[in-house]
Amino acid sequence: MKDQNALAEGVVGHTPLFVVLVLAVIVGWAVWWVVRYLRADAMTRQSIRQAVRVRWGWKRLAPMLKLSVTDKTPTALATLANTNGKPIKPRILIPALRVTHDAYGVIARARCLPGVGLQQFQKAAPHLADAWRCTRVAVTQDKPGQVLIRGVRLDPLKFPTEHRPTGDVPDETARWDLGVDEYAQPVSVDLTQVPGVTVAGLPGFGKTSLVNRLLSDWAPSPAVQFACADGKVSAAYEGDYADWVQRMFAFVGDDLEEANKLFRHLVELRRARSASVRSVLGVKSMWDVGPSDRWPLVVLIIDEAHTYFRDHKGSDPKTKKLAALAAENARLVEDLVKKGRSVGLLVILTTQKSTGDAIPTFIRDVCPVGLSFAQKTAEAAVAALGEEIREWPDANPINLQDPTYVGVASMNHQSQPGFTRIRTPYVPDADAARIAEQTASLTAGPYTLLEAVLGPRMGELDLVKADSESA
């Protein structure tokens, strides 16, 4: 009895200390929450308040939207506690919801219940948008038994963004970070095993800026080498790529004959790589081992591609020569796109309208990745993205002609059906110039690198090439 009294006195004696600790934790959490709220910008503060409303209102909202289930089977504890023999009331089960926020809105994760899964949440998405005061809500599978609900209060597509390249070597050589989608989620495209990319859109809506980001992010890697044919300029010191020329092993302007020499050189590189890939890398495809300093991924950028492929009409000698060069340019680029994938050649073609007269269909239709900024006609949108874009009117690039959407493109996303719109960031010229200067020493000619690896065996490849051409 004395021991019990002593224990009781000890508990009572420590109760104030326990209460003080609990209060200290609560006060500390409250101070942390207030400080975080005060330090946030105005947009994030609105999202914080929105997230609080979502949490507090969830238990009431979920049953209204049929996102709850009735469990009529009593639990073991309820059965034991039922001493009066009255029927046990069924339980209403509501999916557990965890909510976070960012500047654009809220991100919620909900656990699924029997009969309340991905399909039911997607059906309720428009009503969630109304209840949460969001512009739009998207529901996707987060992991088995859990859904991800993304609600945006503000349209991310209407807010211009900037990208400041770090100059660090990318973790994945062929990963192209594009920007954010209409739910402010990062969008990237994997260009592994991709032979070609087409980028279309009206002038001044972001095509060159999109390519500029790729250059800024990939240039620090010695496993990537660049060449460019820019149909907007006549000399290397002109135009959008003037700073990048020092990081390119080859550059040509709008001269069709010079472009023809570049394309022919790259076809010769493709043939030499195809003939030597097994002996040098020990595999059939370069992508089985990945790009390296001695066997880099070669990226050919053809800006304003219609300059090099346009069909020239006329019977005078000069026009006939241009027509012949344009036809051969198309044939050479077709070779690169159709045969260069396994040996590490990637072609990026940009143009205003990717119709057949700008990019021949035998080139355009084998490029698996296509993006389009604003377009004026349905014909141009279909040429850029395919017939399926007619079934996705919200993502059609003819709706992007407003100046607000400069830098916004539509694309067929690799990881989900249909089309999505993305906000691509602007890379300041000073940052691009900085990265180009810092990485200029990494520039190397891929053909020269192959010669260094093969040594005397390079002559054998030339003989093989000559025999195949004569045959």
Side-chain angles (χ1 to χ4, degrees), residues 72-92:
K72 297 182 180 180
T73 304
T75 63
L77 184 60
T79 302
L80 292 173
N82 185 23
T83 57
N84 55 16
K86 293 182 179 180
I88 299 174
K89 292 183 179 180
R91 296 181 302 151
I92 304 298

Side-chain angles (χ1 to χ4, degrees), residues 232-381:
K232 300 192 299 291
V233 301
S234 299
Y237 58 83
E238 301 173 346
D240 300 302
Y241 301 102
D243 293 321
W244 285 113
V245 171
Q246 57 190 318
R247 183 58 179 91
M248 296 175 174
F249 68 88
F251 180 92
V252 297
D254 57 3
D255 188 300
L256 266 62
E257 194 164 359
E258 291 299 315
N260 187 264
K261 291 179 182 178
L262 171 60
F263 300 154
R264 186 178 294 278
H265 171 75
L266 291 174
V267 168
E268 291 175 357
L269 171 66
R270 196 276 306 162
R271 289 172 175 165
R273 280 190 167 190
S274 297
S276 61
V277 62
R278 287 195 180 189
S279 61
V280 175
L281 301 181
V283 292
K284 292 182 180 180
S285 171
M286 181 275 289
W287 293 109
D288 292 339
V289 295
S292 63
D293 297 12
R294 65 173 185 165
W295 193 293
L297 170 64
V298 177
V299 180
L300 170 62
I301 300 165
I302 307 179
D303 203 342
E304 300 297 341
H306 52 272
T307 302
Y308 307 103
F309 307 135
R310 183 169 64 88
D311 186 16
H312 295 264
K313 304 291 185 180
S315 56
D316 59 286
K318 184 177 180 180
T319 302
K320 287 183 176 180
K321 181 181 179 180
L322 291 175
L325 284 171
E328 188 175 12
N329 286 341
R331 180 183 63 81
L332 293 171
V333 174
E334 178 189 17
D335 180 285
L336 296 175
V337 174
K338 289 186 175 180
K339 301 177 182 179
R341 173 184 58 81
S342 63
V343 293
L345 272 76
L346 168 65
V347 182
I348 299 176
L349 305 105
T350 78
T351 187
Q352 296 176 26
K353 288 174 58 179
S354 55
T355 47
D357 57 339
I359 301 178
T361 55
F362 52 79
I363 296 175
R364 184 193 69 196
D365 293 347
V366 293
C367 293
V369 177
L371 299 94
S372 180
F373 292 86
Q375 296 287 359
K376 278 192 173 182
T377 64
E379 176 198 12

Side-chain angles (χ1 to χ4, degrees), residues 7 43 86 180 194 226 366 384:
L7 180 61
M43 289 173 55
K86 293 182 179 180
V180 296
V194 171
F226 303 97
V366 293

Side-chain angles (χ1 to χ4, degrees), residues 43 46 63 96 206 350 401 405 433 459:
M43 289 173 55
Q46 291 184 49
T350 78
Q401 297 180 54
Y405 293 114

Side-chain angles (χ1 to χ4, degrees), residues 185-238:
Q185 299 303 296
V187 177
S188 62
V189 58
D190 185 5
L191 297 183
T192 300
Q193 298 281 10
V194 171
V197 177
T198 60
V199 182
L202 296 175
F205 271 81
K207 298 188 299 296
T208 303
S209 181
L210 177 69
V211 177
N212 206 24
R213 177 172 186 178
L214 180 142
L215 289 167
S216 299
D217 289 345
W218 288 13
S221 174
V224 184
Q225 298 297 336
F226 303 97
C228 180
D230 187 358
K232 300 192 299 291
V233 301
S234 299
Y237 58 83
E238 301 173 346

